[in-house]
Amino acid sequence: PSLLAGCCRYAYYHGARHFLITTRASDTAKTREAFRDVLDDGEQAKGLTIEVMTVDTAKEDDVARLCRRAHQMDPPVRAVFH
């Protein structure tokens, strides 16, 4: 698994339940599928949300869209892995 996936799993197993994951790839379903084991974690996964957005940080519009989405999240964003 990638470093990001490892960080997300660590956060999940230590209580995090809401994730906004960004990828430059347009296939967000593939990114989401990388977390299938976490999503299928039964009772442990209750309340878990994983949202995947396509974002190219070299594009100002993409970053603005990401920031708008992050500001809308409830509960609010508490950590960023880059």
Side-chain angles (χ1 to χ4, degrees):
S2 70
L3 179 60
L4 170 65
C7 289
C8 288
R9 279 184 178 76
Y10 178 86
Y12 168 73
Y13 287 115
H14 287 83
R17 290 295 175 265
H18 306 283
F19 296 88
L20 175 59
I21 299 171
T22 63
T23 178
R24 289 193 313 184
S26 59
D27 187 0
T28 58
K30 182 178 178 182
T31 301
R32 190 175 169 76
E33 190 60 32
F35 294 94
R36 177 60 41 209
D37 61 317
V38 172
L39 291 165
D40 291 342
D41 200 14
E43 281 295 309
Q44 181 80 6
K46 279 195 172 181
L48 175 66
T49 59
I50 296 178
E51 183 175 341
V52 182
M53 291 180 67
T54 302
V55 176
D56 183 344
T57 57
K59 295 181 178 178
E60 188 175 344
D61 289 344
D62 280 12
V63 174
R65 184 171 48 85
L66 171 61
C67 290
R68 282 193 304 275
R69 180 62 192 116
H71 283 287
Q72 295 169 347
M73 294 188 77
D74 185 31
V77 173
R78 291 190 182 170
V80 175
F81 299 107
H82 177 70

